[in-house]
């Protein structure tokens, strides 16, 4: 956890909030998951250094119902079902 002006906050809550924010701000078209990294406390403010994210995207569907642009964000982009 980390102590902030608003109180003590679990580090996992920050990462989950970021994932949720990306999902909402992208109108439910992107989901950032499998986040890992470190909390850097060396600077003026705490900074998360996140590495190796997996981004799942909701591609457009063609007339047959197949999703287009699979793997748009790398090999871990398996769409929203992934």
């Amino acid at each position: 956890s980390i102590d902030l002006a608003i109180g003590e906050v679990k580090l996992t809550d920050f990462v989950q909030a970021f994932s949720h924010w990306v999902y909402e701000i992208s109108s439910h078209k992107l989901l950032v998951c499998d986040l890992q990294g470190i909390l850097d406390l060396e600077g003026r403010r705490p900074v998360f250094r996140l590495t190796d994210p997996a981004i799942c995207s909701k591609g457009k569907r063609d007339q047959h119902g197949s999703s287009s642009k699979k793997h748009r964000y790398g090999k871990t982009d398996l769409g929203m079902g992934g």
Side-chain angles (χ1 to χ4, degrees):
S1 63
I2 185 172
D3 290 320
L4 298 176
I6 60 169
E8 189 173 326
V9 179
K10 292 181 195 175
L11 298 178
T12 56
D13 289 344
F14 279 100
V15 177
Q16 289 177 357
F18 175 69
S19 180
H20 179 76
W21 177 81
V22 170
Y23 184 70
E24 290 296 327
I25 202 73
S26 69
S27 299
H28 305 178
K29 292 179 181 154
L30 297 174
L31 179 66
V32 178
C33 52
D34 193 24
L35 293 171
Q36 50 200 322
I38 63 164
L39 175 64
D40 184 353
L41 297 172
E42 295 296 319
R44 193 170 143 208
R45 295 187 181 120
V47 174
F48 277 101
R49 306 271 182 217
L50 300 174
T51 60
D52 199 26
I55 302 172
C56 296
S57 63
K58 186 176 184 179
K60 294 182 180 179
R61 302 257 176 211
D62 64 18
Q63 66 267 23
H64 304 293
S66 297
S67 181
S68 63
K69 296 186 181 178
K70 192 173 182 179
H71 305 296
R72 181 179 195 174
Y73 294 99
K75 65 182 178 180
T76 59
D77 183 2
L78 302 177
M80 292 309 220

